[in-house]
Amino acid sequence: MKSRNKIISGLLVWVTAVPFIGNASESATETDNIVAEVLGNNADLKARAAEIRSAGLMNAADNRLGGPDVDFEHQWGQKGVGNKWSVGISQSFEWPGLYGARRSANRKADAAMIAAYNQAAFELNQQVRMLLVDVVSAKQRRSAVVEMMDNLRSVKEKTAKAFEQGEATILEMNKIELQLFSLETKLEDIDCELITLSGQINALNGGIPVRLDAVVDYGAEGLLAEERYMELIDQYDTQLAALRAEIESKRAGADVERLKRYPGFSLGYVHNVEIGEHFNGVSLGVSLPMFTGKHRERAALSDAEAAEYNLDACRSQLHAALLSDYAVATKLGERIDSRKSLFTDGRYGDALAKAFNGGQMNLLDYLYETNFFIETKFDYIDLVARYHKLLVSLNRYNHGV
């Protein structure tokens, strides 16, 4: 039993899937480290692991012989005849093949629970990676706002000098202040969003704070061929693996129910004392099978058949979702590539400030263009985040590929 529990404990080691293809950046490595940390500290996974170990111990204990039965009997006879009494000890045991079948069923039940554990760990892995995508997206939006605020402050300084010389009005100064207030509000909202995201990750990490300073980009990711993703689903998907293990467990359970229909036995030793004479002997008993055994076996087989249908349905759903995600990711990637230069070189905001400072743009136009650029860049950042969430989902099986 000790070796069996060591096997169970060994199987409860989750290897973090790495959904990054090509040369991983420093941020991608940091993402992997954070995911590994959360998987190691998550309270729900720890509880599931303890439940599996407990169930393994209980199953092993239930598949042992019960304790022996000791019987004592005393009868009083008529006067002059004497009393008689007997004592006996017996051991009951089930049909011999049942112990092996139950042991096999217990192993498969353990495997099914471990597969369910791995599925939960896999889902947690994905959940953390999605949250980290949100963290990167929020930081990128924050950087965009800070950049525009810096440019606006330079415009404010120039306008303030013009105001001192009577070349600008108080209305123009107030418009700049209002624009700064709007940007500061956006910045505070983003900071609050980052605090919320950090709290969610910390909660998944067992309440232990996670440092997110180094999470600043998405890392190097890429799309595989569509056919390769289909292969990876069938080979590595934890939901399918859990359903397969469930089917095997239910089939093994049906074998147990079938063997329960066979009789059980009891064998014992009996010592009787009657009218001063001592008698030694053996006892043999047979327990007849219950009439419900056949129905229990059929019910277990029906459960296994239902699980097989669930497996087929799950596989079809995963394939359909993958095809949809792949098509959307391809379109988003093309759209991002076609507009990347407009948002990643950081020159548009500087160009606006230079145009205003050079007298090529009035204040109203500058403020309008600033708002337009911020909103458009936010749209672009959200688009990139959506694309990378699709990549996290699509590349979830790519560890070791």
Side-chain angles (χ1 to χ4, degrees), residues 14 35 37-45 117-131 200-201 203-205:
W14 175 258
V35 171
E37 179 183 352
V38 172
L39 290 174
N41 294 328
N42 184 260
D44 180 63
L45 289 185
Y117 170 92
N118 287 341
Q119 181 185 352
F122 187 86
E123 291 174 354
L124 178 62
N125 182 317
Q126 291 297 102
Q127 182 181 0
V128 175
R129 291 183 186 278
M130 293 295 184
L131 287 172
Q200 291 174 346
I201 295 172
L204 295 175
N205 196 40

Side-chain angles (χ1 to χ4, degrees), residues 15-21 228 232 236 395-401:
V15 180
T16 306
V18 184
F20 297 105
I21 304 301
R228 181 55 177 153
L232 291 172
Y236 298 114
N395 292 336
R396 59 191 182 270
Y397 309 117
N398 290 343
H399 178 65
V401 176

Side-chain angles (χ1 to χ4, degrees), residues 300-312:
L301 289 172
S302 294
D303 284 344
E305 184 180 6
E308 290 175 353
Y309 286 124
N310 289 336
L311 175 63
D312 292 338

Side-chain angles (χ1 to χ4, degrees), residues 74-330:
H74 189 283
Q75 296 179 348
W76 288 268
Q78 296 179 359
K79 186 176 181 180
V81 176
N83 302 328
K84 66 177 182 179
W85 58 273
S86 66
V87 63
I89 182 170
S90 63
Q91 175 66 56
S92 298
F93 53 92
E94 297 172 296
W95 185 262
L98 182 57
Y99 293 100
R102 190 181 285 126
R103 185 165 53 251
S104 175
N106 289 344
R107 284 197 298 265
K108 291 178 179 179
D110 291 340
M113 288 187 291
I114 291 168
Y117 170 92
N118 287 341
Q119 181 185 352
F122 187 86
E123 291 174 354
L124 178 62
N125 182 317
Q126 291 297 102
Q127 182 181 0
V128 175
R129 291 183 186 278
M130 293 295 184
L131 287 172
L132 292 176
V133 169
D134 290 334
V135 169
V136 173
S137 173
K139 286 185 176 182
Q140 289 182 348
R141 282 183 278 117
R142 192 182 193 283
S143 296
V145 172
V146 169
E147 177 188 346
M148 296 309 297
M149 289 178 68
D150 290 341
N151 291 330
L152 187 59
R153 288 191 182 101
S154 69
V155 169
K156 178 182 176 181
E157 291 177 3
K158 182 178 184 301
T159 306
K161 292 179 181 179
F163 177 74
E164 292 173 356
Q165 299 172 1
E167 298 175 357
T169 66
I170 189 64
L171 181 61
E172 291 174 317
M173 291 295 298
N174 287 340
K175 286 180 180 179
I176 295 175
E177 291 295 340
L178 290 173
Q179 180 70 357
L180 277 172
F181 173 77
S182 176
L183 292 175
E184 288 169 355
T185 301
K186 284 182 171 63
L187 192 64
E188 290 174 357
D189 289 343
I190 294 170
D191 287 340
C192 290
E193 181 183 349
L194 285 169
I195 291 172
T196 300
L197 290 169
S198 177
Q200 291 174 346
I201 295 172
N202 292 343
L204 295 175
N205 196 40
I208 303 171
V210 177
R211 293 187 62 86
L212 301 175
D213 299 345
V215 181
V216 294
D217 61 49
Y218 298 113
E221 300 183 66
L223 282 172
L224 299 177
E226 186 179 279
E227 296 77 11
R228 181 55 177 153
Y229 284 124
M230 289 295 187
E231 296 173 359
L232 291 172
I233 282 181
D234 293 329
Q235 293 176 13
Y236 298 114
D237 188 81
T238 55
Q239 189 174 0
L240 295 181
L243 287 171
R244 293 189 191 102
E246 180 185 357
I247 292 170
E248 293 298 317
S249 177
K250 290 182 181 297
R251 286 174 177 167
D255 288 338
V256 172
E257 294 299 334
R258 176 179 59 82
L259 290 173
K260 281 183 178 180
R261 296 165 57 192
Y262 289 86
F265 304 93
S266 65
L267 182 64
Y269 163 78
V270 181
H271 178 78
N272 288 324
V273 176
E274 186 173 350
I275 317 177
E277 298 292 334
H278 292 259
F279 301 88
N280 294 306
V282 296
S283 65
L284 177 64
V286 178
S287 61
L288 298 177
M290 296 181 63
F291 296 105
T292 57
K294 186 175 182 180
H295 299 293
R296 291 180 183 275
E297 180 187 358
R298 288 178 177 175
L301 289 172
S302 294
D303 284 344
E305 184 180 6
E308 290 175 353
Y309 286 124
N310 289 336
L311 175 63
D312 292 338
C314 180
R315 185 185 294 108
S316 297
Q317 291 169 3
L318 287 171
H319 285 183
L322 187 146
L323 292 174
S324 174
D325 288 348
Y326 189 88
V328 174
T330 301

